[in-house]
Amino acid sequence: MSPDDSQLRPLLVVDGANVVGSVPDGWWRDRRGAAERLRDRLAMTGGPADGPFAGPYEIVLVVEGRARGVASVPGVRVEEAPGSGDDLIAELARSAGGRPCLVVTADRELRRRVEEAGARCTGPRSIPAAPH
């Protein structure tokens, strides 16, 4: 399997609002900037180092509300939720096409929904800090 073949790589779907909101670092003053920092961290680290699936991952960061307008970068596709971020994340998990899917969120209801769709879940702390 080539790492460039995103259809064969495990899918990592990140609940941007939930992960950003898990650290009280002033994110509420600049939600878009906080989402951009998370995107950049994901691009640098490639996602969880000890997740249930071997990487590399195809990474999708889901943003909503005032975090909209964040551009995709190499290694991280940003999807803007037209409504509820949870609904888009659940749809991405359902449409994973049978390949492994890992969702990063601490939201209990969202975890239930994506696990029903066959995805696995991990919490926001599984995203490594950006290397210095």
Side-chain angles (χ1 to χ4, degrees):
M1 167 175 68
S2 163
D4 294 330
D5 190 353
S6 64
Q7 294 305 308
L8 298 176
R9 288 187 285 163
L11 178 64
L12 179 69
V13 182
V14 180
D15 181 351
N18 188 269
V19 173
V20 164
S22 70
V23 179
D25 62 358
W27 59 263
W28 51 89
R29 290 188 293 270
D30 181 11
R31 292 172 196 240
R32 184 174 166 188
E36 288 171 340
R37 289 188 298 278
L38 173 58
R39 175 206 59 201
D40 295 347
R41 196 167 92 204
L42 289 164
M44 274 194 276
T45 63
D50 60 353
F53 309 117
Y57 291 94
E58 176 191 356
I59 302 173
V60 179
L61 172 61
V62 175
V63 297
E64 62 186 302
R66 288 187 279 168
R68 286 190 181 100
V70 175
S72 296
V73 296
V76 180
R77 185 176 88 231
V78 178
E79 292 279 340
E80 293 184 357
S84 162
D86 290 2
D87 289 346
L88 178 56
I89 292 165
E91 177 56 34
L92 289 166
R94 277 192 302 275
S95 64
R99 67 182 166 141
C101 179
L102 179 63
V103 174
V104 181
T105 187
D107 182 306
R108 287 185 188 145
E109 175 60 17
L110 179 56
R111 282 177 171 250
R112 182 195 63 74
R113 290 174 67 189
V114 300
E115 286 172 350
E116 284 178 357
R120 304 273 302 268
C121 293
T122 189
R125 291 188 184 145
S126 68
I127 302 297
H132 298 339

